[in-house]
Amino acid sequence: MRYRTLGRTGIQVSELGLGGLFVSRVGGDRRQATDAIRRALDLGVNLIDTAPSYHDSEEVLGLALEGVTQPYYVSTKLGGRPQPFDPKDKVALRRSVEESLRLLRRDYIDLLLIHEPDRPGQYDWWDDWESFHGPVRELLEQLKQEGTIRWCGLGGTTVYELPRVMASGGWDVVLTAFNYSLLWREAALLVLPEAARQEMGVLAGSPLQQGALARRYDEEVERGAPWLSPPRREQYRRLYAFLDETGIPLPELALRFVLSDPRVSTTLMGARSVEEVEANVAAVEKGPLSREVLERLDEIAALVPFRPFEEPFGLPFGRTYRGPGRA
């Protein structure tokens, strides 16, 4: 496992981190989740990201990490707890942090991110959406001074609003999700350049686009998936043809692509099983992709430079589609 500096924090984090959404086990097998988490740490993964909204992820991580001696960093978030959620209630936000500490079985949190700071109407964090000030910033400073958290940051999904929040200053890291992968490159326009200007560490979330790049869906691409726009369908055809040409498995190509960008500090993998963890670690250990491969991928990505307006956020390959055009 190789390590990169996480922006202004100065800490060294593994190129491959663990995404807590996929270690959640509501009604599932917690032993399987625990085994996957511990195997990831054994293989050198030292950053784990979770959130109160990731079902029981914080609790599962707390149980799995109890007694672990390897050094690691935990990132969790503010947002969605307690209900009804008020993003301007400092007392309630502090209670959320205290609950995270209890569930994670920790005395402090390494990274505390504001969840979706860039989507007005979802969580209205800011008193002023121009200066991006609000009670949450006051609380973060207090938590830092107390030693309850070490660093703070932002976890968002929009590529136009998120950089504006980043530019307000004072943030250590940013988690950008669903917008930097083989076929979705929007974060490269504004998010990654702004992170460099602000000396923020970058966590790239969902490099496999919640499964859309985890395996091939040849049949749906050719004869199904009515929600695929014609340019996106052709893009998938060319991507699959490139896989046939190179022989590189799709998940490996996706992970190595993200880590070929030196501006990315770490990318977060799902961890449904020990086998999945081992395969992902083996993939990133092969290092960045060659310039020739990256140039070919750039050509494929350029077929659909921006997400079509009605394209489902998580492409529902293998699932029932209930989006636009369906009653």
Side-chain angles (χ1 to χ4, degrees):
M1 181 66 66
R2 287 176 293 273
Y3 297 83
R4 301 185 182 187
T5 302
L6 187 65
R8 69 175 71 183
T9 70
I11 63 174
Q12 297 295 303
V13 295
S14 50
E15 289 185 329
L16 193 61
L18 186 59
L21 178 60
F22 294 101
V23 302
S24 172
R25 284 295 182 273
V26 176
D29 184 355
R30 288 191 170 183
R31 170 51 56 188
Q32 181 177 332
T34 296
D35 290 345
I37 294 163
R38 294 194 172 190
R39 182 57 176 152
L41 293 174
D42 288 341
L43 292 172
V45 172
N46 73 350
L47 176 68
I48 305 172
D49 176 73
T50 183
S53 59
Y54 295 171
H55 308 299
D56 62 346
S57 172
E58 287 184 323
E59 182 180 4
V60 172
L61 286 170
L63 292 168
L65 295 169
E66 191 170 29
V68 167
T69 58
Q70 300 103 315
Y72 63 89
Y73 303 101
V74 169
S75 165
T76 192
K77 302 177 183 72
L78 286 170
R81 185 181 65 199
Q83 289 290 336
F85 183 65
D86 181 355
K88 296 186 175 68
D89 185 338
K90 284 175 61 176
V91 174
L93 292 176
R94 182 179 281 274
R95 288 206 307 270
S96 180
V97 174
E98 292 169 352
E99 180 67 359
S100 290
L101 290 169
R102 184 186 73 81
L103 292 171
L104 291 167
R105 305 186 180 203
R106 288 174 63 91
D107 297 323
Y108 65 92
I109 294 167
D110 298 295
L111 303 167
L112 184 63
L113 311 184
I114 299 178
H115 208 168
E116 304 288 5
D118 51 338
R119 302 180 71 178
Q122 177 158 323
Y123 299 139
D124 288 320
W125 294 102
W126 315 114
D127 292 331
D128 177 4
W129 280 84
E130 293 299 324
S131 63
F132 300 104
H133 287 293
V136 66
R137 295 201 93 165
E138 299 170 10
L139 175 64
L140 290 172
E141 286 305 314
Q142 292 172 7
L143 293 172
K144 272 189 173 183
Q145 292 172 10
E146 296 166 7
T148 304
I149 67 173
R150 298 180 67 186
W151 300 285
C152 64
L154 307 164
T157 57
T158 66
V159 293
Y160 307 120
E161 287 296 323
L162 182 58
R164 294 181 57 233
V165 189
M166 296 164 63
S168 65
W171 310 107
D172 301 304
V173 298
V174 61
L175 166 58
T176 180
F178 310 115
N179 49 42
Y180 195 57
S181 64
L182 284 176
L183 304 184
W184 288 265
R185 306 287 187 87
E186 291 93 338
L189 298 175
L190 296 172
V191 177
L192 297 184
E194 189 61 41
R197 282 191 288 270
Q198 300 294 330
E199 298 182 338
M200 298 171 68
V202 176
L203 287 64
S206 197
L208 305 185
Q209 294 291 139
Q210 288 196 322
L213 297 172
R215 68 177 184 86
R216 293 176 63 147
Y217 298 91
D218 294 81
E219 181 65 24
E220 286 186 81
V221 167
E222 289 299 328
R223 284 172 284 278
W227 38 267
L228 272 181
S229 66
R232 185 71 83 193
R233 194 180 299 274
E234 177 60 22
Q235 188 182 49
Y236 264 94
R237 290 190 183 109
R238 295 201 193 181
L239 175 63
Y240 291 171
F242 185 63
L243 295 175
D244 292 336
E245 178 184 335
T246 62
I248 302 175
L250 181 54
E252 176 187 321
L253 189 70
L255 290 170
R256 292 175 65 193
F257 164 76
V258 175
L259 291 172
S260 295
D261 192 325
R263 296 172 295 182
V264 173
S265 308
T266 186
T267 191
L268 302 175
M269 64 169 167
R272 301 179 191 275
S273 66
V274 168
E275 293 75 20
E276 186 173 296
V277 167
E278 291 175 343
N280 289 336
V281 171
V284 302
E285 285 181 344
K286 295 182 181 180
L289 298 169
S290 69
R291 178 179 299 178
E292 293 75 18
V293 168
L294 290 172
E295 288 174 352
R296 291 287 298 280
L297 292 174
D298 288 346
E299 293 172 3
I300 295 171
L303 293 172
V304 189
F306 299 100
R307 188 188 302 272
F309 179 73
E310 290 189 343
E311 182 176 273
F313 197 66
L315 301 190
F317 285 119
R319 305 190 301 274
T320 302
Y321 172 59
R322 304 187 186 281
R326 298 286 180 183

